[in-house]
């Protein structure tokens, strides 16, 4: 069940994230809390508690500073992508200091990109962050897919990374098609018919 909840929240963020900033904030905060605690292999309830705390904290902070919401959403989704990247880059035993550096660096980069490029950056960031949550959830659902959550060096790292990229690209395509008006994308005259 734990993996299914994470997959559902990840799918919501990956394929619907740009539609609602409130939804993106809650899902990003949930995912950030979950993925950061997942680096330390905690119990299911600990991960769920930190995910809920992350969702509420992210929503409160973003609401208080709504003017900078794109910056915070970019930072949150960037941190999610950074947590997954830290997991992929560190097979086996995890170095928490290196993981923290990667998470913070990607979060800051995501925040600045979202602040500068708004909806287009958030489109990418929600797709990438949601895809990382989906893989983490699938890795918890069955032992055959554990490599998606915690890949070993070699083929598992390559496969996990390629699936992550493909899933993020699929989320980008779906969001871009569904929310073209919100993104300010003009469709070709022939595509409208």
């Amino acid at each position: 069940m734990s993996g299914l909840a994470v997959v559902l929240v990840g799918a919501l963020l990956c394929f619907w994230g740009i539609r609602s900033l409130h939804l993106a904030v809650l899902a990003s905060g949930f995912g950030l809390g979950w993925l950061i605690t997942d680096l330390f292999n905690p119990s299911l309830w600990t991960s769920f508690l930190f995910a809920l705390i992350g969702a509420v904290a992210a929503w409160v902070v973003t609401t208080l500073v709504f003017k900078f919401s794109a910056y915070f959403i970019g930072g949150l989704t960037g941190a999610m992508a950074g947590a997954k990247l830290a997991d992929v880059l560190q097979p086996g035993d995890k170095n928490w200091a290196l993981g923290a550096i990667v998470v913070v660096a990607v979060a800051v980069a995501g925040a600045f990109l979202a602040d500068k490029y708004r909806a287009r950056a958030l489109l990418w960031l929600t797709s990438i962050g949601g895809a990382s949550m989906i893989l983490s959830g699938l890795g918890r659902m069955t032992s055959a897919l554990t490599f998606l959550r915690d890949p070993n060096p070699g083929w598992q790292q390559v496969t996990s990374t390629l699936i992550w990229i493909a899933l993020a690209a699929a989320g980008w395509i779906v969001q871009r098609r569904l929310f073209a008006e919100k993104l300010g994308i003009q469709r070709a005259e022939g595509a409208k018919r």
Side-chain angles (χ1 to χ4, degrees):
M1 179 62 186
S2 69
L4 181 60
V6 176
V7 167
L8 291 175
V9 172
L12 191 63
L13 184 62
C14 184
F15 297 104
W16 197 262
I18 198 69
R19 177 70 179 139
S20 167
L21 290 181
H22 292 287
L23 174 68
V25 168
L26 289 170
S28 296
F30 183 91
L32 177 60
W34 187 280
L35 291 172
I36 287 179
T37 57
D38 201 37
L39 288 172
F40 303 104
N41 296 321
S43 70
L44 167 67
W45 292 108
T46 303
S47 291
F48 191 71
L49 177 65
F50 274 88
L52 287 177
I53 290 170
V56 171
W59 189 79
V60 167
V61 168
T62 303
T63 301
L64 291 174
V65 193
F66 194 75
K67 181 179 179 193
F68 301 107
S69 65
Y71 183 83
F72 284 112
I73 294 169
L76 289 170
T77 54
M80 289 172 48
K84 182 64 179 170
L85 186 61
D87 199 29
V88 169
L89 293 175
Q90 297 183 75
D93 294 332
K94 307 288 188 222
N95 180 338
W96 69 269
L98 179 59
I101 290 169
V102 171
V103 168
V104 170
V106 177
V108 169
F112 282 110
L113 285 171
D115 188 46
K116 182 163 176 73
Y117 299 107
R118 299 286 177 184
R120 294 199 184 251
L122 290 175
L123 172 64
W124 276 106
L125 291 166
T126 57
S127 298
I128 294 168
S132 66
M133 284 182 65
I134 292 170
L135 293 183
S136 180
L138 287 174
R140 284 188 170 275
M141 290 175 66
T142 177
S143 60
L145 297 176
T146 303
F147 75 94
L148 293 175
R149 184 175 73 115
D150 190 22
N152 289 323
W155 75 268
Q156 289 183 349
Q157 275 183 309
V158 171
T159 304
S160 176
T161 303
L162 290 175
I163 293 171
W164 185 24
I165 291 168
L167 193 54
W172 180 84
I173 290 168
V174 167
Q175 287 192 67
R176 185 173 161 84
R177 289 186 189 260
L178 287 177
F179 311 118
E181 285 182 29
K182 187 170 181 79
L183 294 165
I185 298 170
Q186 300 294 325
R187 293 187 179 197
E189 193 63 37
K192 288 183 181 179
R193 294 180 189 178

